[in-house]
Amino acid sequence: MALTEQDITRLARLSGLRLDSNDQSRAHQELNRILGLIEELQAVATTGIEPMAHPLAAHQHIALRLRDDAADPAQSTGQRDACLQNAPAAHQGLFLVPTVIE
C-alpha cells in the first residue's frame, strides 16, 4: 500500500502540521518506505512459531525480573484522602470528572 501526495496532505492537515513542498516530499518517501517494511514483515510466515517474551530469548536464557502479581493491601482513608488532595473535584473518595457521554 503506497500513499499518494493527497494522502500526505490530508495526514498533515489532520495532525496540524504545516509542510512545505520539500517536507511533504520527504514525508511521502519516508512513510512509503515504512509501509513497505511493514508489508515485508507481514509477508513472513509465522504459523507455528512460539511468541517470545524477549527478543533475545531465542539466543540466550533471559530471566525477566517481573514483580509478583499480587494485590496491594487496601489503603487507609488517610492515604486515600492524601491521594485526592490535589484532585480538582472529589466526592466520597472518588475523582469527579466531567460527563463525556450523555
Side-chain angles (χ1 to χ4, degrees), residues 69-100:
D69 190 17
D72 289 336
Q75 293 183 353
S76 69
T77 306
Q79 290 172 316
R80 183 189 68 195
D81 292 340
C83 289
L84 291 172
Q85 181 178 356
N86 292 326
H91 178 67
Q92 296 179 349
L94 302 173
F95 289 97
L96 295 180
V97 297
T99 303
V100 291

Side-chain angles (χ1 to χ4, degrees), residues 1-12 15 17 19 23-39:
M1 173 186 172
L3 295 173
T4 64
E5 290 291 334
Q6 291 80 19
D7 294 329
I8 301 301
T9 303
R10 184 169 186 259
L11 287 172
S15 60
L17 297 175
L19 300 178
D23 290 336
Q24 187 167 353
S25 175
R26 183 175 173 205
H28 185 228
Q29 292 171 356
E30 290 181 3
L31 288 172
N32 277 332
R33 191 173 66 227
I34 291 169
L35 290 174
L37 290 172
I38 292 171
E39 286 177 357

